[in-house]
Structures are given as structure tokens and as C-alpha cells.
Amino acid sequence: MAGMGWYGPLIDLSRASSHVGDYVQLLVFVHKSTPIQYKLPKGGAVIRTDIQVGDDTRPFFSVSLWQKQMGLMVISGNVILLQNVRITRFGDFVEARTIQCSSLLCLIHPYESIISKGVDDLIRDFQFGISMKEKLRRVIEWVQQAGSSLHDMHLHGYQKRPLLKNWKSHEERISRDCFSLSEVSHLTSSCKVTFYASVGEIFLPFTWRTLDESEKERMFISQRLSKARDNNLVADLICNGCQLCGSPLDMESGSTFEQTTIPLYCKRSSNHLHVVSLIYRPFMLYVWDETGCILLLVKNKTAEVLFGNITAEKVYLCYMQKHGGNPAPKNVQKYNHSDAGAATHLKASGKRVADSPYADKSMEPKKRQQCEQNPDFYLIWLILLKMLLQRGKNSPLKFEATVDVELDRENGRFEMESVSIPCFRAEVSSVL
């Protein structure tokens, strides 16, 4: 251990909030490990593993691991030493995250050895200093005092107890009801499903340009919302595209991959022609429950439902009226079918959709006046985003999704069709 460089002190988790921005060392027990992985179409992958840890001073604390190999080393029930991690704050949420010089050392494995052996036997062979050994002793004693509850709760508890549903099934079932995300993820046939889950993260794959290592955080929307001001959020989430199928049609900034994969015809249009307007760019929604986590593909129409029926055009117009400038792709008017046909032929010929005569090069005075009279949809949309991504503070939502078992999860295996807030009405008897 003497050969390793330490950039900060060994701290208790209860003191993490006083070390925001600092590098620290953490000796903790691992409750749960959740890998978040997305394969980019042009090669490579963005990988992050979120782990829930605890020690004798704070039972639960979140750590984000940004190195693939480090994430593979973590197993629930282990006692680990995290070296040179940085404490960060996102709004009211404090967590630790790894950096390039971070490292992870598994101290005790498996969990059963913590319960079966004495503290002295467990720490005898470790060549640590006095403070490190004392911290390890306190963590082991904390785990042993908690008994088997930690192990059962986070490792096997969800598999042992039956999952009870808290809603009534409709007599006419339009789609298959799943009682857990574990059941959804193990489906072997394509179908429609409904399930209850909580929102964990919005992931936006940047396929239209290459990101540096330092910019990969921009793909995770929750961290960007905690910043005072992110002028690129509208530009990243809104683009020119088809209102019906949700396919981006912005040829001006699209990558070679994106240009070659834009569908020539719309699958959801009666005449197979795209209806071009400002849309929400397709993104991935991480949802979770006590049994696991799945990745939902969200396109324009379902994104509107998720954002309170606020269209991308309303958000963009209000943003332009309030902030000015040009943060997003050039405005385009809604095409009718004949205009969409012209745009489709322009795209097929290799010309940019934004260069077509049907594209609106400036915000029309009528739309400006309408935006000034209407509510600030951009601000409302921003508030909804922040409320949606409140970790652990929101109740589960009811989702309906299509399952295509022939696709990978990164390519739309689970695609969201609708979402609603569960509403339960108690029966009240009236007295005459």
C-alpha cells in the first residue's frame, strides 16, 4: 500500500458533504451494484457502474464508477477500499465518482466470511496503518451487528419474497401485465407489456458528433440539470425530424452513420412520407424497481407524453423568445404530405433538409407573438425534467412498452409507448 499515491484523507461517509470537490479514500461495504452500459453504433461504449455502499457512520451512499474493469470487480457483499475518488454534488445529492487515477481494492470476499469469522481473524493479514485497520474493524463490526438483514435485503431478498401488486387488473387486458422489471427483462417473445417502475436517468446517445472523454457526462441529463445554466440542453434534445416516427432528419449536423441510417419512408404515415417539424431527439430512459433496471427507447410522441404533452416546438420557441440566439437546429414548419414528399426526395438526393424551401429560416412574427402570450413552456419543461429525475423521491409510474426480442437493448428492445401516473380511488359510502 505504501507504493500507492493518495490524494486525500480516509474519511467516514458521514463527512462526505464537507469534502465536496476533494479527493478522498473510502473503506465501505457494498450493498448493490448496477451497471449502466450503452453501445454506440459507430463503435465503442459508454459504461458507468453505480454502486450503493455504506459504513459505520452512514448506511447508504452512492458511488459512480467510470472505469469498466473497476465495475467488473465490484460484487454485492464485499468490503472494498476506493482510492482517490472525488466527492461531487448535484443539487442536494452528494456522491463519489472515480477519476483516471482512482483505484479499487477488494478487502473481504465473500460476504459469508464476514459473518462466519471474527474481526481479529479478518484483519490480521492486512498490512495497513493504525487508522486504516481501525476503520476496517468498525465497518466489519457494523456489518456483523446488522446481522443477515444487509445480505438478505440487497442480495437475495427480492428473489425470496413474493412480489405483490397494488393495483387491480382490468377485465379486458390489452397488453401483458408484468409485476417486476425482472419479469420484463426475461421475456422471450415479442409483445406489449405494462409495468410499474421509477425513473432513474435520461441517457442521450451522441451519434451526430464525436465526444471527448471529458464530454461524455453530457450524455447523462440528470447531472446537467443540476448546473446553474446549460445552454446546450435544448440544442442536444431537440432537432429537425419526423413527428410521426420520431426519426431525426437534421442532415446539417448529422454524422455519416446518422445520415446513412435515416429512414427514407415513414413507417407510421399512411402515405409513408415524413411529417417534418421540430421533435425530441430519441433518447434512452433508465427505469428501475427493486428487482432490476431496464432501458426504454423514447421517441418524439412518447417524449411529449413524458414531458406533460409539451411539444418540442413549444419548448424551442419559448427558449428563443426568452434567450434569443440559435441554440438548436433551424426552425422548420410542419410539412403537409406533399411538402414531406419534396423533403424526402431532397434527402434522397443528398441535400440538407434545412436547405429546402420548406424550412423556416427564422421565427415568424406570428409565432413570436403567440409565444409571448402563452406560458413559458421552456421553463415548465425544465421543471418537469428536474422533477422527473429526482432520485428516489418519486413514486413509480405506469409504463406501457413494446418488446422486440430480436433487438438489443441499446437498439430499442424495449420501446416506450405510453406513461401515466397511477391513481387509486378509495370507495366512500355516503350516509343519507
Side-chain angles (χ1 to χ4, degrees):
M1 299 299 295
M4 293 185 178
W6 282 24
Y7 296 156
L10 175 70
I11 68 166
D12 296 330
L13 291 179
S14 61
R15 298 180 56 241
S17 58
S18 62
H19 288 270
V20 173
D22 299 335
Y23 299 106
V24 299
Q25 326 301 317
L26 301 177
L27 200 159
V28 292
F29 173 81
V30 179
H31 293 296
K32 187 177 181 181
S33 173
T34 305
I36 298 178
Q37 177 173 314
Y38 191 90
K39 296 178 182 178
L40 298 177
K42 55 188 175 182
V46 176
I47 299 174
R48 187 186 83 192
T49 301
D50 292 340
I51 62 175
Q52 193 75 231
V53 301
D55 69 359
D56 56 302
T57 66
R58 183 172 177 174
F60 298 103
F61 187 78
S62 296
V63 181
S64 296
L65 308 179
W66 288 81
Q67 288 78 13
K68 180 179 180 181
Q69 290 303 120
M70 195 176 296
L72 296 175
M73 294 169 60
V74 179
I75 300 176
S76 299
N78 286 0
V79 174
I80 63 173
L81 173 64
L82 289 165
Q83 295 178 263
N84 304 330
V85 295
R86 188 172 186 178
I87 304 298
T88 58
R89 182 192 297 274
F90 300 103
D92 297 330
F93 186 76
V94 177
E95 69 170 14
R97 56 167 301 161
T98 60
I99 55 175
Q100 188 174 1
C101 62
S102 301
S103 62
L104 184 149
L105 179 64
C106 181
L107 302 181
I108 301 179
H109 172 78
Y111 168 82
E112 285 72 16
S113 63
I114 305 178
I115 303 300
S116 61
K117 296 182 180 181
V119 178
D120 293 333
D121 293 334
L122 289 170
I123 68 175
R124 180 181 299 115
D125 297 331
F126 288 105
Q127 302 299 319
F128 293 152
I130 297 176
S131 61
M132 180 71 71
K133 276 194 173 183
E134 181 59 30
K135 178 63 180 179
L136 180 58
R137 176 185 294 274
R138 295 201 308 268
V139 171
I140 294 174
E141 290 176 347
W142 168 67
V143 174
Q144 290 178 343
Q145 289 173 4
S148 60
S149 60
L150 287 175
H151 184 65
D152 291 338
M153 182 184 300
H154 297 281
L155 301 182
H156 304 295
Y158 303 143
Q159 300 176 3
K160 288 184 178 180
R161 68 172 183 265
L163 296 172
L164 302 177
K165 61 178 183 177
N166 60 350
W167 69 92
K168 294 182 179 180
S169 301
H170 296 288
E171 294 182 1
E172 297 181 4
R173 292 170 56 183
I174 302 175
S175 57
R176 177 174 177 176
D177 293 333
C178 290
F179 302 146
S180 69
L181 291 186
S182 177
E183 183 180 351
V184 176
S185 61
H186 287 89
L187 290 173
T188 57
S189 59
S190 299
C191 60
K192 281 191 175 183
V193 294
T194 58
F195 54 87
Y196 287 74
S198 299
V199 176
E201 180 65 271
I202 291 178
F203 179 83
L204 181 64
F206 275 65
T207 57
W208 61 95
R209 75 178 184 87
T210 304
L211 291 180
D212 298 332
E213 287 294 328
S214 60
E215 294 182 299
K216 286 188 176 180
E217 286 188 38
R218 293 181 59 191
M219 296 187 178
F220 298 93
I221 302 302
S222 64
Q223 297 186 6
R224 297 176 61 175
L225 289 173
S226 63
K227 298 179 180 179
R229 183 176 180 182
D230 189 340
N231 293 329
N232 294 321
L233 191 60
V234 173
D236 291 341
L237 279 172
I238 296 177
C239 68
N240 290 326
C242 177
Q243 264 196 343
L244 301 179
C245 67
S247 299
L249 302 175
D250 191 349
M251 303 295 293
E252 183 175 9
S253 57
S255 64
T256 303
F257 170 82
E258 197 169 47
Q259 293 179 20
T260 57
T261 55
I262 290 177
L264 185 60
Y265 298 105
C266 177
K267 295 182 179 180
R268 299 193 178 185
S269 173
S270 59
N271 59 2
H272 305 294
L273 298 178
H274 292 293
V275 179
V276 183
S277 179
L278 288 173
I279 68 166
Y280 293 111
R281 195 184 294 274
F283 58 82
M284 311 304 294
L285 186 71
Y286 281 89
V287 296
W288 59 276
D289 66 4
E290 59 182 9
T291 66
C293 172
I294 66 172
L295 199 61
L296 289 178
L297 172 63
V298 182
K299 293 187 178 180
N300 179 58
K301 285 297 182 182
T302 49
E304 290 179 3
V305 177
L306 188 66
F307 299 146
N309 293 325
I310 301 178
T311 64
E313 187 176 19
K314 288 181 179 179
V315 174
Y316 173 70
L317 292 177
C318 288
Y319 182 94
M320 288 291 290
Q321 191 273 334
K322 185 174 182 179
H323 298 283
N326 187 26
K330 297 176 182 178
N331 268 333
V332 291
Q333 294 177 340
K334 295 181 180 179
Y335 284 46
N336 57 32
H337 293 311
S338 61
D339 293 343
T344 302
H345 290 296
L346 280 171
K347 184 175 70 66
S349 65
K351 295 183 179 180
R352 298 181 302 178
V353 175
D355 290 339
S356 70
Y358 307 100
D360 182 15
K361 299 296 183 179
S362 61
M363 189 184 298
E364 297 177 2
K366 185 178 179 180
K367 288 186 176 181
R368 283 184 179 272
Q369 183 179 3
Q370 182 181 3
C371 186
E372 292 175 357
Q373 296 174 353
N374 288 334
D376 188 346
F377 288 107
Y378 165 70
L379 181 59
I380 297 173
W381 172 78
L382 201 60
I383 293 173
L384 286 174
L385 264 180
K386 292 182 178 181
M387 293 179 61
L388 190 67
L389 295 176
Q390 289 289 318
R391 294 186 184 181
K393 297 182 180 180
N394 293 328
S395 300
L397 300 175
K398 183 178 181 180
F399 291 92
E400 182 176 358
T402 57
V403 181
D404 189 344
V405 296
E406 296 182 357
L407 299 176
D408 298 331
R409 67 171 193 162
E410 295 86 1
N411 295 323
R413 183 184 184 91
F414 307 107
E415 181 175 348
M416 191 178 99
E417 292 292 330
S418 67
V419 62
S420 59
I421 300 176
C423 181
F424 307 103
R425 179 179 297 176
E427 295 183 0
V428 179
S429 58
S430 59
V431 180
L432 298 178

